[in-house]
Amino acid sequence: MTYTAEQLIATTQSNVDALEGLATQAFAGFEKLVELNLSASKAALAESFSNARAMAGAKDPQQLLALQAGLFQPLAEKSVSYGNQVYSVAAETGAVFTKTFEAKVDEAKKAFAVAVDNMTKNAPAGTEAAVAAFKSAVSASQNAIETAQGTAKKAVELAESNFTAVTKQAVSAATTSSKKR
């Protein structure tokens, strides 16, 4: 199979466009993480001084202990919220990469199928059995790849589900722990 100059140019342009989109998405994800970290740092600094002022103004040790005990639940909730936001940014960026990768894989599969068809059409007489075996092997390998992709997607979904469950459990434990104090 021969490629025309137009086909090569179109393929190259498509790949450059995809790469540009991925780079833009990666940079946007990085920007979101920087903004999140700056916001969290600013809030933590303000809260630290506010808490320090409140503790310095405590009238007796019991009031000081009550103030200290009251710090744990909001801290745990904010930590969980921060973790969820980081996870959200990472998942969003990863989803774009996955979508682009899957589109490129589909393009490659189609191009490969066209190449195989062209090759088998031009196969010499008497090679029908070899051509059929080759086509069968190609089909089996594509099915294996699709199965692996499906399994990977299920694993990601399971990991997301587990992450959500652990997060809820951590918030619940922090709330229960702070109420007991």
Side-chain angles (χ1 to χ4, degrees):
M1 177 177 162
T2 58
Y3 284 103
T4 65
E6 293 82 19
Q7 288 172 319
L8 288 174
I9 291 170
T11 300
T12 302
Q13 185 62 44
S14 173
N15 290 336
V16 168
D17 290 345
L19 186 59
E20 179 185 20
L22 290 175
T24 300
Q25 185 63 33
F27 191 76
F30 180 73
E31 279 182 323
K32 288 178 184 178
L33 287 176
V34 167
E35 289 173 8
L36 177 63
N37 286 331
L38 286 173
S39 173
S41 297
K42 185 177 179 180
L45 186 62
E47 285 181 30
S48 295
F49 283 111
S50 175
N51 292 336
R53 283 188 187 97
M55 287 185 198
K59 305 273 189 228
D60 57 45
Q62 289 176 339
Q63 187 180 11
L64 181 63
L65 289 174
L67 286 170
Q68 286 179 334
L71 297 177
F72 291 112
Q73 180 181 359
L75 179 62
E77 290 172 355
K78 288 176 185 168
S79 295
V80 168
S81 174
Y82 173 80
N84 285 338
Q85 290 174 358
V86 168
Y87 176 78
S88 175
V89 169
E92 180 181 317
T93 303
V96 171
F97 275 75
T98 300
K99 183 178 177 184
T100 302
F101 174 76
E102 287 174 352
K104 286 296 177 184
V105 167
D106 285 343
E107 283 180 27
K109 280 201 271 188
K110 289 175 186 173
F112 187 69
V114 168
V116 168
D117 283 343
N118 286 340
M119 182 181 70
T120 57
K121 285 179 187 175
N122 298 323
T127 59
E128 292 82 13
V131 167
F134 180 72
K135 282 186 171 182
S136 177
V138 167
S139 177
S141 68
Q142 287 179 340
N143 288 339
I145 290 170
E146 289 172 5
T147 301
Q149 286 175 331
T151 302
K153 279 184 179 181
K154 287 179 183 177
V156 167
E157 290 170 2
L158 179 62
E160 288 176 351
S161 169
N162 288 341
F163 178 79
T164 302
V166 167
T167 300
K168 287 179 183 177
Q169 193 175 32
V171 170
S172 176
T175 303
T176 304
S177 176
S178 67
K179 287 181 181 177
K180 287 181 181 178
R181 293 179 185 203

